[in-house]
Amino acid sequence: MLIPCFACESRFRPDEYFRACHDYRRGMDLVAWTCPRCGNQDELRVLPGELGFGYSQRGRFAICDRVRVPGLRRRRQDLWLDISLDSEVWRVSSRPRQLVGAH
């Protein structure tokens, strides 16, 4: 199973792909991903058995492309998202929100 980068068309094994995930936005249920090869950044939604790629618009995320990843599971926590496949688990933490005017 190889997961593609839509920008450079490189393909990654799940471990390499999910290690490049960062910044879970719980409110939008999105994960940021940066391609280890070309540096392209994408937002995606982890769904049972697939990844959803798209764009944010008016406070919603529209999924345009889906990549099947059989056995993919997710578990939302307050401050992170656990992504699991087979016996592997990758934790994607939320970025701390800063209050306006905080020092």
Side-chain angles (χ1 to χ4, degrees):
M1 150 77 20
L2 296 175
I3 305 169
C5 169
F6 289 111
C8 70
E9 299 182 11
S10 295
R11 296 187 174 275
F12 302 94
R13 288 187 307 275
D15 184 56
E16 187 176 12
Y17 190 90
F18 293 122
R19 279 188 287 120
C21 289
H22 54 90
D23 298 332
Y24 176 56
R25 290 178 45 200
R26 191 176 197 286
M28 293 282 291
D29 195 24
L30 297 176
V31 171
W33 178 79
T34 301
C35 178
R37 300 244 168 74
C38 72
N40 178 63
Q41 292 189 4
D42 275 325
E43 288 186 320
L44 59 107
R45 185 166 286 157
V46 178
L47 302 165
E50 66 184 14
L51 299 173
F53 297 88
Y55 59 93
S56 297
Q57 180 180 23
R58 298 184 188 144
R60 299 181 58 111
F61 186 72
I63 295 175
C64 299
D65 295 303
R66 295 174 186 265
V67 174
R68 298 275 308 137
V69 184
L72 184 67
R73 296 179 315 279
R74 54 177 269 136
R75 182 184 225 165
R76 284 173 42 135
Q77 305 292 337
D78 285 338
L79 299 175
W80 67 85
L81 176 72
D82 285 335
I83 302 169
S84 59
L85 181 64
D86 301 324
S87 62
E88 297 287 329
V89 177
W90 299 272
R91 179 163 287 173
V92 183
S93 298
S94 293
R95 188 179 339 169
R97 295 178 67 166
Q98 292 190 349
L99 299 174
V100 176
H103 297 273

